[in-house]
C-alpha cells in the first residue's frame, strides 16, 4: 500500500508539470495585455512598457515560465497583478464559500442520487424507474446557469423563501449559512445527482442479477440485508469512482454557480482574474484544483479494498 501511494504521488509530478505548461502557454499566448489593461485606455506606449518591465512581462516566455515554476516549487504562487496581494492569500480569503459549496453539494448529490438510483434499480421497468431516469436525463440536459436562474426566480423572487444572492459565513450562524447555500447547492448538485443515480441503477441491476445474489435469496436473505450487505457493497466501486470523477464537474460548475449566485468564492476570483488578465491567480488556482482532483482520485482508488477485498495494492 505504501509503495503504491508513493508511486501515485510521483506520477502526479509529470501531470502537474504538463498542466503548468498548458495553462501558462494558453494564458500568455492568448490575445490581451494585462499591462495595457492596468494603465487604462489613455496610456502611452511608454507607460505600458514601463508597467510590463515592472511586472516582468517583457522577459522571454521561457524565462517567465521557469521563474514561475521555481517560485511555485518553493510554495510561492506569485502576486496578483491587480490586487497586489499574494495569490495564496487571495485564495485563502475566498476558500470558505467554495469549500462550503463543495461539501453541501456532495452531501446533497450523493444522498439524493443513491436514493433515486437504488429505488430505480429495485423497481426496474416500473413507472418509478422510468420517472427517475427521465428526471436524470432532464437534470443532465438543462444548463446549470438556467437551473440557477429558475431557482432564484421561483424560490427567492416569487416565494421569498431564500436569499436571491450572496453568502453568509458559517460563523454568523448555521441557519443563515445553510439558507445562503441552499439554492446554489441544488443548482450545482442536480447534474451530479443525475450522473450518480444512473451509475447506481446500472451497477445495482448488474449485481442483482449475479448468481451469488440468487444464492443469498435462496438462503432466505431478503430486504434491507440483501440490499445493503450484498448488493450495494458489491456495486459500490463504480459508484465511488463516479463520485470522485464528478469532482471535476463540481470544480467547473462552481465557477458558474458562484457567478450566478454572487458567492465570493474561488470561482468568482477566477472569473475576475480572467477578465483582468491576472495570470498569477489563474495559474495558481488551476494548479491547486488539479492537485486536489488528483488527490481525491487517489483516495477513491485507496477506498476500493473496503468494498472488494480481492483488490490489493
Amino acid at each position: 500500500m505504501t509503495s503504491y501511494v508513493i508511486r501515485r504521488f510521483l506520477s502526479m509530478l509529470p501531470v502537474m508539470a504538463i498542466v503548468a505548461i498548458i495553462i501558462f502557454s494558453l494564458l500568455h499566448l492568448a490575445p490581451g495585455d494585462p499591462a495595457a489593461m492596468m494603465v487604462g485606455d489613455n496610456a502611452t506606449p511608454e507607460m505600458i512598457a514601463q508597467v510590463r518591465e515592472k511586472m516582468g512581462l517583457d522577459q522571454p516566455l521561457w524565462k517567465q515560465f521557469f521563474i514561475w515554476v521555481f517560485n511555485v516549487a518553493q510554495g510561492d504562487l506569485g502576486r496578483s497583478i491587480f490586487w497586489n496581494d499574494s495569490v495564496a492569500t487571495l485564495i485563502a480569503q475566498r476558500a470558505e464559500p467554495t469549500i462550503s459549496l463543495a461539501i453541501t453539494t456532495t452531501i446533497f448529490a450523493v444522498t439524493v442520487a443513491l436514493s433515486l438510483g437504488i429505488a430505480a434499480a429495485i423497481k426496474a421497468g416500473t413507472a418509478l424507474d422510468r420517472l427517475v431516469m427521465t428526471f436524470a436525463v432532464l437534470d443532465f440536459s438543462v444548463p446549470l446557469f438556467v437551473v440557477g436562474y429558475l431557482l432564484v426566480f421561483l424560490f427567492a423572487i416569487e416565494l421569498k423563501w431564500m436569499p436571491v444572492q450572496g453568502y453568509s459565513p458559517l460563523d454568523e450562524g448555521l441557519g443563515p449559512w445553510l439558507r445562503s447555500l441552499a439554492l446554489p447547492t441544488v443548482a450545482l448538485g442536480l447534474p451530479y445527482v443525475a450522473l450518480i443515480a444512473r451509475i447506481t441503477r446500472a451497477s445495482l441491476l448488474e449485481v442483482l442479477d449475479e448468481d451469488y445474489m440468487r444464492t443469498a435469496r435462496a438462503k432466505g436473505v431478503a430486504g434491507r440485508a440483501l440490499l445493503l450487505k450484498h448488493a450495494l457493497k458489491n456495486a459500490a466501486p463504480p459508484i465511488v469512482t463516479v463520485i470522485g470523477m464528478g469532482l471535476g464537474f463540481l470544480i467547473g460548475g462552481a465557477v458558474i454557480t458562484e457567478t450566478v449566485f454572487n458567492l465570493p468564492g474561488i470561482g468568482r476570483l477566477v472569473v475576475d482574474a480572467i477578465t483582468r488578465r491576472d495570470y498569477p491567480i489563474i495559474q495558481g488556482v488551476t494548479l491547486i484544483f488539479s492537485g486536489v482532483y488528483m488527490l481525491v482520485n487517489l483516495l477513491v482508488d485507496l477506498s476500493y479494498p473496503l468494498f472488494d477485498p480481492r483488490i490489493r495494492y
Side-chain angles (χ1 to χ4, degrees):
M1 174 72 82
T2 304
S3 61
Y4 174 78
V5 173
I6 293 174
R7 288 199 305 273
R8 285 293 299 270
F9 272 111
L10 292 177
S11 69
M12 290 181 186
L13 296 178
V15 176
M16 294 291 285
I18 293 173
V19 170
I21 293 172
I22 292 175
I23 190 64
F24 186 89
S25 302
L26 288 177
L27 287 174
H28 286 76
L29 295 177
D33 187 348
M37 296 181 68
M38 279 188 68
V39 293
D41 296 334
N42 298 322
T44 62
E46 290 75 18
M47 293 171 63
I48 296 175
Q50 287 178 356
V51 174
R52 287 180 59 80
E53 183 180 0
K54 183 181 178 182
M55 295 164 59
L57 296 175
D58 59 333
Q59 302 288 336
L61 271 185
W62 64 268
K63 190 173 182 180
Q64 293 182 47
F65 176 74
F66 281 108
I67 291 174
W68 175 60
V69 170
F70 180 76
N71 291 332
V72 169
Q74 299 181 58
D76 181 9
L77 295 175
R79 295 187 71 81
S80 165
I81 294 174
F82 281 87
W83 283 281
N84 195 28
D85 204 346
S86 73
V87 174
T89 301
L90 290 170
I91 292 175
Q93 290 172 349
R94 304 290 192 96
E96 184 189 328
T98 302
I99 293 174
S100 299
L101 182 61
I103 292 173
T104 55
T105 300
T106 303
I107 294 173
F108 164 76
V110 172
T111 305
V112 175
L114 287 180
S115 303
L116 293 178
I118 292 171
I122 294 175
K123 302 292 183 182
T126 65
L128 176 63
D129 180 26
R130 288 191 286 274
L131 181 65
V132 171
M133 288 302 100
T134 303
F135 173 73
V137 171
L138 283 176
D139 274 356
F140 218 73
S141 304
V142 181
L144 198 158
F145 69 92
V146 174
V147 175
Y149 284 123
L150 286 175
L151 291 174
V152 169
F153 175 76
L154 180 61
F155 293 101
I157 297 176
E158 291 295 322
L159 298 176
K160 302 185 187 305
W161 290 351
M162 301 292 173
V164 177
Q165 289 181 325
Y167 173 73
S168 179
L170 185 57
D171 56 11
E172 293 182 4
L174 182 61
W177 179 74
L178 287 174
R179 275 172 54 82
S180 67
L181 289 173
L183 295 184
T185 295
V186 175
L188 180 59
L190 282 179
Y192 204 23
V193 168
L195 180 65
I196 300 173
R198 290 181 67 86
I199 294 297
T200 302
R201 175 185 178 276
S203 300
L204 266 181
L205 284 178
E206 185 177 344
V207 170
L208 288 171
D209 200 38
E210 294 288 343
D211 291 339
Y212 62 84
M213 292 300 295
R214 283 191 284 272
T215 303
R217 292 191 193 95
K219 289 183 177 180
V221 181
R224 185 175 299 178
L226 180 72
L227 181 65
L228 298 180
K229 188 176 179 181
H230 296 278
L232 194 56
K233 184 176 180 181
N234 288 288
I239 299 172
V240 174
T241 302
V242 168
I243 292 174
M245 292 176 64
L247 181 68
F249 166 78
L250 285 184
I251 292 173
V255 175
I256 301 173
T257 307
E258 290 179 5
T259 303
V260 171
F261 292 94
N262 195 28
L263 301 179
I266 297 175
R268 279 289 306 280
L269 178 66
V270 172
V271 172
D272 293 340
I274 290 173
T275 58
R276 295 169 175 170
R277 295 284 176 192
D278 202 333
Y279 299 148
I281 290 181
I282 304 172
Q283 293 167 175
V285 171
T286 305
L287 270 186
I288 290 178
F289 278 173
S290 301
V292 170
Y293 184 73
M294 286 188 286
L295 188 61
V296 169
N297 277 280
L298 172 60
L299 294 176
V300 168
D301 289 348
L302 295 178
S303 71
Y304 289 157
L306 298 176
F307 307 109
D308 189 346
R310 293 172 298 180
I311 299 176
R312 289 281 186 271
Y313 295 115

